[in-house]
Structure formats: structure tokens, C-alpha cells
Amino acid sequence: MNYEQFILTVNTSSIVILLVLALILLLATRFKGEAGYAAAIIIVPTVPVYLYNATRMLCMYETAYLIFPFASSLNTLLMPLLWLFTRRNFNTDFRFRLPQLLHMLPMILFLVFSFFFSRQEIMVFIRYETTGNDLWFADMNSSVVALQMLLYFPLIFFYIYKERRLVGDALSDAEWAQKAWISQFMILFAALFVVVMVSYALWPRTDAWLIQILNVIAMAFLVYNAIAHPTEHKLSVSELALDPLKPSVGEYAPLTALQMEQICSDVSAYLGESKAYLRPEYSLASLALEVKIPQRNISRSINSHLKCNFFTLINRLRVEEAKHLLLNLDASGYTIDSISVECGFRSRSTFFLVFKKLTGQSPAAWLSARKKES
């Protein structure tokens, strides 16, 4: 296999693998949640470029000519799509609105600009690029993509960091773990970007095959985690910021240790009596309305007096309920999976993750250990 055949094989294989990954993702998630954004990340910025590379290597210049405008513009959508994917994952209030089109401006400009070239000029580009070299238009495109990565990666990491600090009352540590893979994916992608840039500086021809291989690795990671860690409880600006009983600005008074202890006592008594924590959609805002205590006061009291956040408290109560049902598994007719639903967990994976974090064992292992003790 010569070098041209190698490039052709890598590009065509990457196209097939990426299309299969996108299909698996969409079928597994039933087109729900962030699956559409993830599938767009996998296909839109990559497949046109790889098709362009493959058709050039096959000397299918007419086909390459038709793909050229899209291959030289859609690749600039990668970082904007990663940014929108991150925003959509962490904020249910996020909607794609007109100002978001500014993120698409490089793509629009490159697409429009590509139509100013004559057919003859594009053919010159295509034939010249087949030699492994790039003309000024491709160099300009690569520079814009590199600049986008330098701008968007810090923006994404700062946004995730800011959200991580904000979610103290919206997610438990265990539920946050279901989102932690997003930052891991971004770190992986950034690391691969560094590898690509160093390799390109040492040998420019690596852009025709190395990017494709590394991109398939990154997208496989994306698909696996998007399926394995479904976004069951997503952050919402309204959920985090809305306090139905919130006093006017300046009306908050410092809480004493005794007041915080009393609030925690009232909250615990209410939750124990009502078992409201068994409702999957239960939130801090719901609790504030039901006990008629400002949301912020509840949050501060739980954090200071009980040394945990709201959802960790809720999950502790849910796990205790699950333990009770597990010990009566034979008599109750429940299964371990049905217990997760009965106790208010939105999915089996969340139940297992929370249970193991709080007990150090899976539900089955915990039950087995209790039976041995008795």
C-alpha cells in the first residue's frame, strides 16, 4: 500500500465509522436530549472533509469540485458545536437563538467565499492539494480552525468550571459524575488537538490522515459516554436561580447556628413524614414552597449544618428507602431495577452510581452482605 492508498483508506474508513457511530448514538438515545448536537459534532465538521480527501485521492475531481465549498467551510463548525453541546448539557433553559448564529459566521464566510472562485481555480486547488501541499485558501481555513480551538477551549473549560461551582444545590456528587465525562471529553479533544498541531508542524502531510484517526477515537469516546451516562437531571437556570419565597434584595439576614439547626430539623421532619424525596422531579424550589422557607435559607442550613448539599441529602434518604426495600425483596415483589424507580431515581445507572457512592457497594453486593450477616 503506497501513501496515497493509505490516505484513501484512512479517510473512507473514518467516514464509515463516524456514520455508524452517529447512527448508534441516535438509535440508542432515541433522538432525545443532546443526541442531535452530538451527532452533528460527529458528522457535520468531519465527513465532508474526509469525502473531499477521498475523492481527490481517487482522482474523482468532478466530485471533489462539488464537495469543495462544504469541505472548506463546515469544518469551522466543530468548536461552535462543541460549545453549544456543552451549554445544552448543563442548562435546560438553553435554546438556539439568533445571536448564536454569530458562532457560525466563519462557516458562512468560508462557504460564501468559496463560491467566488472559478471552476478552473478550484480544480487547480484540488490537483495541487493532491500532492500533499496546501494553497493559501486551505492555509487560511486551517488557521481559522486553530484560532477557534485556542478561543473555544478556554471558554468551554471556564464555563464547565463555573457551572461546577453553581451546581451545589442542583446535583449531588454522584449525579455530577454523570456529567464529568463532558469535561474529560474536552480535555481529550484538546490533547489530541495539541498532538495534531505538533505533528502538522513537523510534517504537514499528517493533516490528511492523523486528524481522522484521532477524531474517530474522540468521537467513539463521545458516543460511548453519551449512551452510558444519559443526561437524566440537567441543570436549569430557572431551577438554580428561581426562589419562589425569595425576599427582596437586602432582606436576607444572617442565620445563626441555632436557626440553621431548626431549619434542618423542620426539613428532615417534613421529608420523613411526606416522603416527598421519592418524587423523581423533586427540587430545592419544590421543598421551599412546601415548607414555606426561602430556598436560600434551606440551602445554607443544609450546607452548614448537615455538611452536604440538597440533592446529596435527598439521595441519602432515597438510598435508605432502597435498603429497606432490598431487605424485603422477596416479600415485596420488587426487583432491584424497579426499586430504583420506586425510590425516585430517574434511571438505573443513576441509582447504581448513587448507591455505590454512599455505601461503597452495588445494591446486589450490599444485599448479599446483609444476608450473610443475618
Side-chain angles (χ1 to χ4, degrees):
M1 179 185 294
N2 60 31
Y3 188 68
E4 285 71 24
Q5 290 173 328
F6 171 71
I7 292 176
L8 176 62
T9 301
V10 169
N11 280 274
T12 52
S13 300
S14 298
I15 292 169
V16 173
I17 293 171
L18 291 174
L19 290 175
V20 170
L21 287 174
L23 182 60
I24 291 172
L25 173 66
L26 292 174
L27 290 177
T29 57
R30 300 179 183 178
F31 297 80
K32 294 180 180 179
E34 289 66 51
Y37 284 90
I41 292 169
I42 295 169
I43 295 175
V44 175
T46 57
V47 170
V49 178
Y50 303 166
L51 277 173
Y52 177 68
N53 290 337
T55 53
R56 283 191 296 112
M57 291 303 162
L58 289 170
C59 298
M60 298 170 59
Y61 297 131
E62 291 298 326
T63 304
Y65 167 75
L66 295 175
I67 300 172
F68 173 81
F70 307 102
S72 58
S73 59
L74 291 177
N75 63 333
T76 62
L77 282 180
L78 175 60
M79 294 310 302
L81 286 173
L82 284 174
W83 167 243
L84 295 175
F85 173 74
T86 304
R87 292 284 306 277
R88 181 68 175 82
N89 252 284
F90 285 96
N91 183 1
T92 53
D93 290 339
F94 176 78
R95 298 291 183 272
F96 188 91
R97 296 185 174 88
L98 194 59
Q100 302 295 337
L101 285 176
L102 291 174
H103 293 284
M104 314 298 168
L105 189 58
M107 182 275 293
I108 296 170
L109 292 176
F110 271 106
L111 183 61
V112 172
F113 195 27
S114 66
F115 285 107
F116 280 92
F117 296 115
S118 66
R119 176 187 176 85
Q120 183 178 359
E121 287 175 315
I122 294 176
M123 285 299 184
V124 170
F125 286 164
I126 294 171
R127 293 177 186 276
Y128 187 73
E129 288 176 346
T130 305
T131 66
N133 299 303
D134 289 333
L135 286 173
W136 65 270
F137 186 69
D139 287 336
M140 183 171 66
N141 179 271
S142 298
S143 298
V144 169
V145 172
L147 181 61
Q148 284 181 314
M149 291 187 172
L150 292 174
L151 293 174
Y152 275 96
F153 273 129
L155 181 64
I156 289 171
F157 287 127
F158 176 75
Y159 178 78
I160 293 175
Y161 170 76
K162 184 182 68 173
E163 290 298 309
R164 182 66 183 97
R165 297 189 62 183
L166 184 64
V167 300
D169 291 321
L171 295 179
S172 69
D173 290 341
E175 286 169 317
W176 170 261
Q178 287 199 307
K179 291 179 174 294
W181 72 268
I182 298 172
S183 58
Q184 295 168 3
F185 170 67
M186 296 301 170
I187 292 171
L188 171 65
F189 216 96
L192 295 180
F193 164 66
V194 172
V195 172
V196 167
M197 294 303 293
V198 171
S199 301
Y200 182 79
L202 296 174
W203 189 25
R205 294 198 73 180
T206 57
D207 69 340
W209 58 272
L210 181 61
I211 295 174
Q212 288 79 334
I213 294 173
L214 297 181
N215 190 52
V216 166
I217 294 172
M219 294 311 167
F221 182 89
L222 170 63
V223 171
Y224 169 77
N225 283 282
I227 294 173
H229 302 291
T231 308
E232 298 294 344
H233 183 92
K234 294 184 291 186
L235 304 187
S236 168
V237 169
S238 60
E239 180 178 325
L240 292 178
L242 179 61
D243 187 343
L245 303 173
K246 182 177 180 180
S248 303
V249 177
E251 289 186 15
Y252 277 119
L255 294 173
T256 66
L258 189 61
Q259 287 174 318
M260 289 190 287
E261 182 181 0
Q262 184 60 51
I263 288 174
C264 289
S265 177
D266 293 344
V267 165
S268 297
Y270 173 77
L271 291 174
E273 181 181 347
S274 68
K275 292 197 173 184
Y277 54 85
L278 297 180
R279 306 203 302 260
E281 75 285 355
Y282 203 57
S283 67
L284 182 59
S286 300
L287 175 62
L289 279 173
E290 290 161 6
V291 298
K292 294 181 172 53
I293 300 174
Q295 184 172 317
R296 182 176 172 182
N297 288 352
I298 296 176
S299 174
R300 291 171 59 193
S301 300
I302 293 175
N303 291 338
S304 299
H305 186 68
L306 299 180
K307 308 300 180 186
C308 65
N309 62 42
F310 167 74
F311 269 95
T312 297
L313 172 63
I314 293 300
N315 282 337
R316 286 175 182 172
L317 295 171
R318 288 172 176 171
V319 167
E320 289 304 313
E321 184 73 17
K323 288 179 180 179
H324 173 72
L325 294 177
L326 285 169
L327 291 173
N328 296 279
L329 201 61
D330 297 333
S332 66
Y334 285 113
T335 64
I336 291 180
D337 285 349
S338 63
I339 285 175
S340 67
V341 177
E342 185 70 19
C343 293
F345 292 99
R346 293 171 179 264
S347 71
R348 180 180 184 273
S349 61
T350 301
F351 172 53
F352 275 67
L353 195 64
V354 171
F355 195 98
K356 189 168 185 178
K357 183 172 182 64
L358 294 179
T359 67
Q361 296 175 301
S362 68
W366 181 88
L367 180 58
S368 177
R370 299 293 83 74
K371 287 182 177 179
K372 288 179 180 178
E373 291 175 359
S374 59

